[in-house]
């Protein structure tokens, strides 16, 4: 089982940027599809982006296309999510996830992953 730890959240002004990190132990993250999600209390978890194993093909949810970017850092066994042009409605707990039991060559932004981090809070406010 992978252990995932998110970091990089915080308070940022509207229009600002953050880079979230998802660090893994217990396995080599490059061998897994990895997804980023967010959740606001009382709402369903929203899939934001994912990056595919082997090919690094990235997929994005419609609400974040063009303003969030997912990437891998294999040297550090990590996946990042760059958040740009942040808006108050981006305020949420952000989670990374990995280990989807599928033979698909493409990742998914649906919450089908087995291993999840504990989340990092992003608050966008002036």
């Amino acid at each position: 089982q992978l252990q995932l730890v998110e970091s990089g959240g915080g308070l940022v002004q509207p229009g600002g940027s953050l880079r979230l990190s998802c660090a893994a132990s217990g396995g080599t993250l490059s061998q897994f599809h990895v997804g980023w999600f967010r959740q606001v209390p009382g709402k369903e978890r929203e899939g934001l982006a994912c990056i595919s194993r082997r090919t690094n093909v990235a997929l994005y949810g419609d609400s974040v296309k063009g303003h969030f970017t997912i990437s891998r850092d294999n040297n550090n066994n990590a996946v990042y999510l760059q958040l740009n042009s942040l808006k108050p409605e981006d305020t949420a707990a952000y989670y990374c996830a990995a280990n989807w039991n599928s033979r698909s060559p493409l990742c998914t932004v649906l919450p089908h992953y087995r291993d999840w981090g504990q989340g990092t809070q992003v608050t966008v406010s002036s």
Side-chain angles (χ1 to χ4, degrees), residues 66-83:
H67 103 102
F68 290 1
T69 304
I70 192 169
S71 61
R72 285 192 191 270
D73 179 353
N74 293 336
N75 289 335
N76 289 303
N77 206 27
V79 169
Y80 304 122
L81 187 68
Q82 178 70 37
L83 316 180

Side-chain angles (χ1 to χ4, degrees), residues 31-34 50-55 57 59 72 100-109 112-113:
Q31 297 178 354
F32 296 90
H33 298 318
V34 179
C50 69
I51 189 162
S52 305
R53 62 179 174 232
R54 298 194 184 98
T55 63
V57 170
L59 302 176
R72 285 192 191 270
W100 176 33
N101 186 18
S102 169
R103 294 183 179 181
S104 171
L106 285 180
C107 60
T108 179
V109 292
H112 294 328
Y113 299 90

Side-chain angles (χ1 to χ4, degrees), residues 9-112:
L11 174 63
V12 61
Q13 292 189 342
S17 298
L18 285 173
R19 189 179 77 163
L20 306 184
S21 299
C22 173
S25 58
T28 303
L29 206 53
S30 62
Q31 297 178 354
F32 296 90
H33 298 318
V34 179
W36 278 98
F37 298 80
R38 67 185 177 190
Q39 190 165 25
V40 175
K43 293 192 176 181
E44 289 190 359
R45 191 162 289 188
E46 179 186 8
L48 303 175
C50 69
I51 189 162
S52 305
R53 62 179 174 232
R54 298 194 184 98
T55 63
N56 287 338
V57 170
L59 302 176
Y60 293 92
D62 288 342
S63 66
V64 302
K65 279 180 185 174
H67 103 102
F68 290 1
T69 304
I70 192 169
S71 61
R72 285 192 191 270
D73 179 353
N74 293 336
N75 289 335
N76 289 303
N77 206 27
V79 169
Y80 304 122
L81 187 68
Q82 178 70 37
L83 316 180
N84 293 328
S85 304
L86 284 163
K87 307 169 189 175
E89 52 265 41
D90 293 316
T91 295
Y94 284 69
Y95 300 87
C96 66
N99 200 357
W100 176 33
N101 186 18
S102 169
R103 294 183 179 181
S104 171
L106 285 180
C107 60
T108 179
V109 292
L110 296 175
H112 294 328

